[in-house]
Amino acid sequence: MSQGCNTILVVDDVSANLQLLSDVLHRKGYQVRCAESGSAALAAVRLSKPDLILLDIAMPDLDGYVVCQEIKADPALQDIPIIFLSAADEAPDKVRAFEVGGADYVTKPFNLKEMMARIKHQLNLQSARLEIQRLNIELEARVQRRTAELERANNELRNEVIERRRAEKKLIFDTLHDELTQLPNRTLFMERVAQALSCARRSPCYQFAVLFLDLDRFKIVNDSLGHAVGDQLLIEIARKINSCLGPQDTVARLGGDEFTILLEDIQGGQDAVKMAERLQAAITQHIYLEGHRIVTSASIGIAMGGSHYQQLQAVLRDADIAMYQAKGMGRACYAMFDQDMYLKNLRLLRMESDLRQALERDEFVLHYQPIISLKTGRLAGFEALVRWQHPIDGMVSPGEFIALSEDTGMIVPLGAWVLREACRQMRQWRDVYPAAASLRMSVNLASKQLQEPGFAQRVDYILEETGVPGQDLRLELTESMLMERTEETIQVLQQLRDRNIQLSIDDFGTGYSSLSYLHRFPVTTLKIDRSFVGKMNRDTENFEIVRTVMALAHTLSMEVVAEGVETLEQSSQLRDLGCEYGQGYFFSRPLDQETASEFLVETMHWQVDASDDEVAYKSDIHPRSRRAKPVVRQGVSWQQLGEAG
Ligand code: C2E
Ligand code: MG
Ligand code: MG
């Protein structure tokens, strides 16, 4: 520190002392201020703060100690170093001088060199103190800054940790839940089932149930009202299911319209059944979505869980099998899993894999059921009906495998085989028997076949290959096929009609087709379902239905084939109503190729009218027939020609 800028206040009541010190200090380069009394010194210090004070002790008004005390009591001034000036005999007061806060002590007469050294020492000390103070303040500020920075970093870190935890939680939630409904997904559901299963293994009286729920005809909602409404419906269904459950139960969405429910710690199957009924009651209540009133229902399969299950997946599998069973029973049904279902399912699975090889192994055969003209009583054609000669199970009826082959897509190659085989057979009959010239072959179609691009061309190819004219082929469609993808279907049907192929609606009356739409489809024939024909009786509702359908068909210039004609009476009634054709056990069961050939050869004609006693039975036995003329009065007896008799 340069002495030049230091100000020293010299306090002494003796002017000569003041003068002397002032001169010496001036010369040494200090700025000097003087005060001749204690009170003057205090006033001077408060006016402007000196860097050091030389303070005489013995003064008349306030002595040096009092002045020092006052200064040290003032926080703004207390850091000024004070060197006491005292006569030599006042030595005992040195202790007091330090007690009141003095920094040093110089005795008179002054040794100037010593005094200057002490002044310099004190100023240096003071300047060092100030420097330390400054550094301290700076340090403090730096520490504060660093602390603030640290705190900020800390906060950021804490937020990051919170954010990461939240993201982690969400990730865990997402991997265990269904995005649409926010319900647990398969993974979480299976975890819960695993827990229930280990509970059951620990305590054998612990029972649980898994319910497999599938909405009925959800696809229709999705296809007709769009996926957005479909999604909303699923959310609404999830909410309804949840509202039926207890706090310990779990509901999950497996995907699509499939939900599973785990009922824990229940008393027995009755509890699961009650829950299934409660769920169905809730689900069948209609829902309004975007202005649509939607009525839906669910099929539910129940599997009772317990220690008898070795494998976790088996519980869900069995509930699924039971659900399929329930679906087969109609809408809004439930079924409880049992071992028979399991075996049936195994058979179905085996059948599915066998079915894939059946075509290559040439295991399919066609049987032919005669269709009779009710006007003339003569054979008008055949319906080709496929059968599967299973190497182990024997003859399997189409009722058992057609739906399966539709599900697996197998129906496309199988259907093509049926069509080709039926046409080939027709060609062969025509080549051998003149009587076959006027016959028409009916072949059933599945919706997947119709949806195959280029279907009409494929039919062309088969007709050409087998040399059967289009007009002698009748393709049988179901009502539901017409209601799917209506516009595209009409186009394909029109292409078939352009080739003169006859088109028939099979099982008419059992589907959902709207009568008012019928005229839009280029169909030529209605086949009244056998459920109406079977219970037809002149005064029943079914009779009216058959009559109405007949009238409708004729208005639209369509012909009618009655299916399932089993008695002469039905045949008569149908003829009276103007029905063109009949098909059923009364005339004949479906026949294998050989028997059908014999049938054709005999070119018989039937009694179709009960009142027509005269022509109770006529048969023109064909010369090539190997059969004796049947000694029968009514067509029923021709059953002996049939497959099962
Ligand atoms: P569908 O086309 O309605 O065929 C008539 C079914 O009724 C045949 O059963 C026939 O045996 C039976 N039936 C005929 N007359 C009578 C009768 O008087 N009383 C009774 N109770 N039943 C009678 P099948 O042969 O078991 O065929 C069942 C269904 O399988 C067929 O019903 C048809 O929808 C389907 N189907 C058969 N063959 C084929 C095929 O090649 N392709 C496709 N897509 N479906 C086929
Ligand atoms: Mg048919
Ligand atoms: Mg039918």
Side-chain angles (χ1 to χ4, degrees), residues 246-313:
Q248 78 282 15
D249 304 329
T250 304
V251 50
R253 178 175 173 236
L254 296 199
D257 58 346
E258 290 178 347
F259 296 86
T260 47
I261 294 134
L262 172 65
L263 302 179
E264 295 202 57
D265 203 8
I266 54 174
Q267 299 308 311
Q270 213 34 49
D271 283 356
V273 165
K274 264 190 223 146
M275 177 57 81
E277 285 169 352
R278 196 181 314 156
L279 286 167
Q280 268 166 344
I283 289 171
T284 42
Q285 274 169 14
H286 65 259
I287 300 170
Y288 280 101
L289 287 177
E290 294 191 359
H292 304 284
R293 183 175 187 272
I294 298 175
V295 183
T296 182
S297 62
S299 300
I300 301 176
I302 306 168
M304 288 303 297
S307 52
H308 56 285
Y309 274 107
Q310 303 298 319
Q311 281 177 331
L312 179 61
Q313 298 293 339

Side-chain angles (χ1 to χ4, degrees), residues 28-40:
K28 291 289 177 189
Y30 295 107
Q31 288 198 18
V32 184
R33 286 159 56 201
C34 296
E36 283 189 4
S37 68
S39 45

Side-chain angles (χ1 to χ4, degrees), residues 12-14 17 55-60 63-65 84-98 105-110:
D12 203 321
D13 58 326
V14 182
N17 284 349
L55 182 57
D56 189 18
I57 293 173
M59 287 184 294
D63 69 17
Y65 300 131
F84 281 107
L85 307 172
S86 160
D89 49 7
E90 292 169 66
D93 285 344
K94 278 183 187 168
V95 176
R96 176 105 200 270
F98 286 119
Y105 194 98
V106 189
T107 38
K108 298 172 190 173
F110 308 124

Side-chain angles (χ1 to χ4, degrees), residues 366 369 383-387 397-399 402 406 411 415 418 443-446 449 476 506-507 527 529-530 563-566 583-586 588 590 643:
L366 289 188
Q369 188 173 31
E383 175 174 5
L385 295 160
V386 69
R387 273 100 185 85
S397 78
I402 287 290
E406 287 191 39
I411 193 71
V418 169
V443 176
N444 293 284
L445 276 194
Q449 287 176 272
E476 298 193 0
D506 203 354
D507 309 332
K527 267 189 109 166
D529 190 66
R530 65 168 179 266
E563 277 185 350
V565 181
E566 292 185 349
Q583 175 183 355
Y585 295 170
F586 172 65
S588 168
E643 357 172 60

Side-chain angles (χ1 to χ4, degrees), residues 283-444:
I283 289 171
T284 42
Q285 274 169 14
H286 65 259
I287 300 170
Y288 280 101
L289 287 177
E290 294 191 359
H292 304 284
R293 183 175 187 272
I294 298 175
V295 183
T296 182
S297 62
S299 300
I300 301 176
I302 306 168
M304 288 303 297
S307 52
H308 56 285
Y309 274 107
Q310 303 298 319
Q311 281 177 331
L312 179 61
Q313 298 293 339
V315 194
L316 196 65
R317 177 202 65 200
D318 290 351
D320 190 16
I321 291 174
M323 189 279 288
Y324 268 97
Q325 180 80 12
K327 272 246 157 157
M329 288 152 56
R331 299 179 58 181
C333 289
Y334 61 81
M336 180 77 86
F337 175 79
D338 62 35
Q339 204 53 27
D340 278 356
M341 278 185 205
Y342 176 68
L343 296 176
K344 223 167 108 187
N345 200 55
L346 267 191
R347 183 174 136 86
L348 205 67
L349 276 180
R350 203 192 63 206
M351 197 182 265
E352 186 179 333
S353 84
D354 289 354
L355 196 58
R356 292 183 193 281
Q357 302 160 13
L359 251 190
E360 296 158 28
R361 295 185 180 169
D362 216 11
E363 290 173 357
F364 293 107
V365 285
L366 289 188
H367 281 192
Y368 302 91
Q369 188 173 31
I371 296 174
I372 308 301
S373 159
L374 295 182
K375 261 192 209 128
T376 65
R378 286 183 186 277
L379 178 66
F382 289 99
E383 175 174 5
L385 295 160
V386 69
R387 273 100 185 85
W388 177 14
Q389 279 179 312
H390 191 277
I392 297 166
D393 297 342
M395 197 69 97
V396 185
S397 78
E400 286 189 71
F401 66 85
I402 287 290
L404 188 63
S405 45
E406 287 191 39
D407 287 350
T408 55
M410 262 291 297
I411 193 71
V412 174
L414 172 59
W417 178 86
V418 169
L419 186 59
R420 173 173 289 113
E421 179 59 18
C423 291
R424 194 199 56 74
Q425 184 59 63
M426 183 74 148
R427 177 75 263 149
Q428 200 232 326
W429 279 333
R430 288 190 170 177
D431 289 347
V432 182
Y433 312 119
S438 60
L439 300 185
R440 184 170 278 159
M441 183 63 86
S442 296
V443 176
N444 293 284

